[in-house]
């Protein structure tokens, strides 16, 4: 499998709470919902639909999974929502109990076992294992060199601080630009793949 990350991201690299004001206020973050004004249904919706179409499974950190699990089941009847609800899902968490995994087709990966478990999944056969949101998890995956593709949905806004997906470990990691598309709102979808080592 390939691990593919798709993220809403600001010009200054912030991924925190793109969807709404109460989504994630950690650190006093006050700009929740910042992606909304720049959402282009064709460009952004198309990027997420294409990503979901290529997915064999979804992967989340606990907080993002809880938000998704609270939202998507009630949207049944829409093709995108139906796919979100039926596809296999993994959530990395030390705190969620198996009885709390109420979103259809979800398997918990204990946090302490996550890197080893995800290496095995990545080395196996199949399509894409897609990560949406989940900045702490994505930061770990990037640090561990487990991300095969980044699909960054870049919104034309600077937020001045907030959570990022990028490790701060001083290690350089090269990616190659695999494609771009732009929407009328100024949004750009930029796809990067791990650069081949020479």
């Amino acid at each position: 499998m390939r691990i593919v990350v798709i993220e809403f991201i600001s010009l200054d690299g912030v991924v925190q709470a793109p969807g709404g004001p109460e989504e994630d206020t950690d650190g006093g973050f006050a700009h929740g919902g910042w992606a909304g004004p720049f959402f282009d249904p064709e460009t952004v919706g198309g990027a997420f639909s294409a990503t979901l179409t290529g997915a064999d499974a979804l992967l989340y950190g606990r907080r993002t999974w809880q938000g998704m699990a609270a939202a998507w089941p009630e949207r049944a009847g829409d093709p995108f929502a139906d796919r979100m609800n039926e596809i296999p899902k993994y959530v990395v968490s030390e705190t969620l109990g198996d009885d709390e995994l109420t979103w259809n087709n979800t398997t918990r990966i204990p946090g302490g076992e996550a890197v080893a478990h995800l290496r095995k999944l990545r080395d196996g056969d199949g399509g894409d294992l897609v990560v949406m949101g989940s900045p702490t998890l994505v930061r770990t995956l990037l640090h561990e060199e487990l991300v095969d593709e980044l699909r960054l949905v870049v919104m034309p806004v600077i937020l001045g601080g907030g959570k990022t997906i990028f490790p701060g470990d001083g290690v350089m990691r090269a990616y190659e630009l695999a494609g771009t598309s732009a929407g009328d709102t100024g949004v750009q979808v930029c796809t990067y793949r791990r650069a081949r080592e020479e």
Side-chain angles (χ1 to χ4, degrees):
M1 297 185 95
R2 296 187 318 151
I3 295 181
V4 174
V5 172
I6 185 165
E7 295 281 352
F8 292 108
I9 192 165
S10 69
L11 291 175
D12 54 344
V14 174
V15 299
Q16 188 170 356
E22 304 305 319
E23 185 178 345
D24 181 358
T25 58
D26 282 0
F29 189 74
H31 303 300
W34 52 270
F38 309 105
F39 189 90
D40 179 306
E42 186 174 321
T43 303
V44 177
F48 276 89
S49 291
T51 300
L52 189 60
T53 297
D56 273 3
L58 302 176
L59 173 64
Y60 296 104
R62 177 195 54 80
R63 176 178 273 179
T64 302
W65 180 88
Q66 287 177 312
M68 297 286 204
W72 286 104
E74 66 186 36
R75 299 178 187 174
D78 169 85
F80 188 89
D82 289 347
R83 177 83 171 130
M84 289 285 287
N85 288 323
E86 73 188 18
I87 194 169
K89 292 166 278 289
Y90 297 94
V91 57
V92 175
S93 175
E94 285 293 351
T95 58
L96 281 175
D98 289 339
D99 61 325
E100 296 176 86
L101 303 180
T102 55
W103 195 12
N104 183 46
N105 218 357
T106 296
T107 301
R108 186 177 68 86
I109 301 173
E113 302 170 16
V115 171
H117 192 99
L118 293 170
R119 279 191 202 285
K120 285 182 187 173
L121 279 174
R122 185 173 174 256
D123 290 342
D125 294 330
D128 295 341
L129 179 59
V130 171
V131 189
M132 300 176 183
S134 310
T136 303
L137 175 60
V138 173
R139 205 164 36 252
T140 298
L141 294 172
L142 285 167
H143 175 78
E144 296 292 335
E145 310 285 346
L146 290 173
V147 175
D148 297 289
E149 186 168 292
L150 283 168
R151 296 181 186 177
L152 302 179
V153 182
V154 184
M155 301 294 189
V157 62
I158 294 172
L159 298 172
K163 292 180 182 177
T164 179
I165 59 171
F166 302 115
D169 55 11
V171 175
M172 186 173 76
R173 298 167 176 89
Y175 282 75
E176 298 172 337
L177 183 64
T180 62
S181 60
D184 292 339
T185 62
V187 63
Q188 296 243 355
V189 179
C190 302
T191 301
Y192 298 93
R193 295 191 184 125
R194 284 285 303 275
R196 296 186 196 96
E197 295 183 8
E198 299 296 331

